[in-house]
Amino acid sequence: MFERSEAAFEAARRVMPGGVNSPVRAFKAVGGTPFFADRGEGPWLYDIDGNRYIDYLLSWGPLIWGHAHPEIVEAVVAAARRGTSFGVPTELETKMAEKVVALVPGVEVVRMVNSGTEATMSALRLARAYTGRECIVKFEGGYHGHADSLLVKAGSGVATFGLPNSPGVPHSTAEKTLTLPYNDVDAVRRLFAERGDEIAAVIVEPVAGNMGCVLPVEGFLETLREVTQSHGALLIFDEVMTGFRVALGGAQARFGIRPDLTTLGKVIGAGLPVGAYGGRRDIMALVAPDGPMYQAGTLSGNPLAMAAGLRSLEMLEAAGPALYERMEQFGQRLVRAFTEAGRRRGIPVYGHAIGGMFGLFFHDGPVRGFADASRSDTARYAAFFHAMLREGVSLAPSQLEAGFLSAVHSEREVGQTEEAIVHAMAAL
Ligand SMILES: *Cc1c(COP(=O)(O)O)cnc(C)c1O
């Protein structure tokens, strides 16, 4: 079933670390050989052995319009015909910035970059420049890309591989990163009471998506807003995953909390490499060339990426809130299918769905943070993951990752997935 992928993986391993360009693609957490993609179409992904999957990985989040959406492909092709990069401004960049500013409540001014990592790294530098302070606060199991300051108790692949911190990060950098348990309001208040005047910013995933999908408890985000404000620190919502995904305006629109800075990625590029950071006008005024905080990029605001992202955002805007409600209903159906099938078999199961994100845990719940999430049964998840692949469904190859829905997953695919879940659970 995976012969070609096995051969392809062997060849890849000879010339690339682990055979991949991003660690989580190697399927280490679930074992076995990763399947190699041949092509995608809507909610479907085809591998090079000719297997077909209903795709809930969706390139780890960006593909809210599924694979190869005709309108997005057309936008990219039309842009490419006019030239792939210019190194001088284009009007397309302004249109894209206007759209982001119009949609995301906390963003008044925005700078495009090429990845989520670049966005968070730049936002931190900006927060440090603005406040003149050096410490940042992040939460255990939060993943904010692979910049040095942020690889401390990080989620996603770092957690999947059981690496608390990465070698290569200077001690002097790591010690400026203070970590707290997600959703722990008291811990936040205690830390600020002790060290509030050293803290430049709190960076948080407003819905955590890199320790599985974990929702903020009531009062958590509100507390972060209040405490940062009263101590002169900035609040950064890392909406690289949640932006345009849990709601059109991101988690900040959904929960009605305005951060000082926002980082975006994934959905913003519709499958092309785009990230962005933006926020309050007075803070963004420090970014070069308006201000002294330096940050640049040869390919930033790339016309192909802007064309894809802009078309995608226009389509999301046209679809309106109904799209997010529909994705959430589908996500809840998958979670329900999973928990009901698990309970019938006497297996501990738990899950969440919000907007176009969901999380499935082999854990009796509740899952409120990294300590809970990491007590989930990973061996069982691995077995479930492979059983789902055999059923023709592609999930994230680690329990400490979120699942994603797209605008093109229909009743039919979701119904088939519910059946697949029942079969896969029965095979455990
Ligand atoms: C994926 C992710 C990042 C990193 O984005 P890249 O484009 O992979 O560099 C940062 N923050 C969050 C919340 C993410 O989910």
Side-chain angles (χ1 to χ4, degrees):
M1 181 179 177
F2 295 112
E3 280 151 37
R4 286 183 184 210
S5 280
E6 276 160 14
F9 193 45
E10 245 181 72
R13 280 165 62 163
R14 284 196 282 273
V15 286
M16 301 193 296
V20 291
N21 280 313
S22 192
V24 283
R25 293 181 199 165
F27 278 28
K28 267 197 164 176
V30 289
T33 302
F35 62 84
F36 277 54
D38 178 37
R39 67 195 171 85
E41 191 185 332
W44 300 95
L45 173 59
Y46 296 79
D47 72 14
I48 57 174
D49 286 286
N51 302 306
R52 184 174 90 152
Y53 310 97
I54 303 172
D55 191 8
Y56 295 97
L57 180 62
L58 294 174
S59 188
W60 300 84
L63 304 183
I64 203 157
W65 290 103
H67 293 275
H69 191 285
E71 286 197 46
I72 292 169
V73 171
E74 185 196 310
V76 174
V77 170
R81 287 217 172 88
R82 305 172 70 85
T84 52
S85 184
F86 302 107
V88 295
T90 58
E91 290 178 305
L92 195 52
E93 291 162 85
T94 313
K95 282 197 193 130
M96 179 69 168
E98 284 169 349
K99 187 57 73 188
V100 173
V101 167
L103 296 180
V104 185
V107 176
E108 293 172 350
V109 177
V110 64
R111 166 65 60 83
M112 293 293 152
V113 293
N114 303 290
S115 69
T117 293
E118 265 190 79
T120 55
M121 184 178 80
S122 308
L124 283 190
R125 185 181 306 142
L126 178 56
R128 285 169 163 153
Y130 183 82
T131 58
R133 301 173 179 178
E134 290 199 345
C135 290
I136 57 147
V137 177
K138 74 177 284 291
F139 295 92
E140 290 163 17
Y143 180 69
H144 307 288
H146 64 85
D148 281 353
S149 319
L150 293 164
L151 276 184
V152 180
K153 294 195 182 172
S156 188
V158 194
T160 295
F161 301 147
L163 311 167
N165 302 310
S166 173
V169 174
H171 179 67
S172 57
T173 303
E175 72 184 8
K176 303 281 192 228
T177 303
L178 314 175
T179 58
L180 294 174
Y182 194 77
N183 273 331
D184 190 337
V185 173
D186 295 334
V188 172
R189 289 195 186 284
R190 272 199 307 275
L191 179 66
F192 269 89
E194 281 168 27
R195 304 186 63 176
D197 58 353
E198 296 170 56
I199 297 169
V202 172
I203 184 166
V204 64
E205 294 179 63
V207 171
N210 288 288
M211 46 176 146
C213 175
V214 177
L215 306 180
V217 298
E218 196 147 337
F220 177 58
L221 299 174
E222 290 80 356
T223 302
L224 296 183
R225 179 62 288 181
E226 178 215 310
V227 168
T228 46
Q229 205 146 25
S230 63
H231 285 85
L234 300 185
L235 178 60
I236 305 172
F237 271 10
D238 180 358
E239 299 228 43
V240 169
M241 187 182 291
T242 53
F244 316 107
R245 179 162 279 292
V246 303
L248 185 56
Q252 56 195 274
R254 173 125 185 184
F255 295 111
I257 292 174
R258 190 174 290 221
D260 301 299
L261 292 174
T262 299
T263 54
L264 297 163
K266 300 198 168 114
V267 170
I268 198 177
L272 275 83
V274 185
Y277 66 101
R280 272 165 44 193
R281 185 175 296 278
D282 64 316
I283 304 174
M284 291 300 288
L286 260 63
V287 177
D290 273 350
M293 193 225 61
Y294 197 72
Q295 181 274 313
T298 301
L299 293 176
S300 295
N302 174 268
L304 272 58
M306 293 298 100
L310 181 60
R311 181 65 59 88
S312 164
L313 294 185
E314 286 167 351
M315 286 158 60
L316 289 174
E317 195 175 16
L323 167 62
Y324 292 90
E325 283 159 25
R326 193 173 85 121
M327 288 193 295
E328 184 161 315
Q329 277 163 13
F330 283 163
Q332 273 161 356
R333 273 175 52 184
L334 299 181
V335 168
R336 201 176 318 124
F338 176 77
T339 50
E340 283 175 3
R343 281 181 195 131
R344 272 201 302 277
R345 299 262 290 109
I347 296 172
V349 278
Y350 189 72
H352 300 291
I354 179 168
M357 260 169 95
F358 62 91
L360 307 175
F361 297 97
F362 284 101
H363 184 295
D364 52 12
V367 178
R368 295 215 178 103
F370 185 66
D372 295 333
S374 57
R375 277 195 292 271
S376 304
D377 186 339
T378 49
R380 207 165 238 158
Y381 184 84
F384 179 70
F385 168 85
H386 287 292
M388 288 297 280
L389 275 190
R390 287 191 293 275
E391 294 285 330
V393 177
S394 167
L395 298 171
S398 164
Q399 187 162 215
L400 298 179
E401 303 283 357
F404 302 105
L405 280 147
S406 82
V408 299
H409 282 70
S410 70
E411 176 63 42
R412 193 166 52 118
E413 285 83 45
V414 172
Q416 285 172 7
T417 308
E418 288 172 318
E419 285 175 31
I421 288 171
V422 172
H423 293 160
M425 200 68 89
L428 292 187

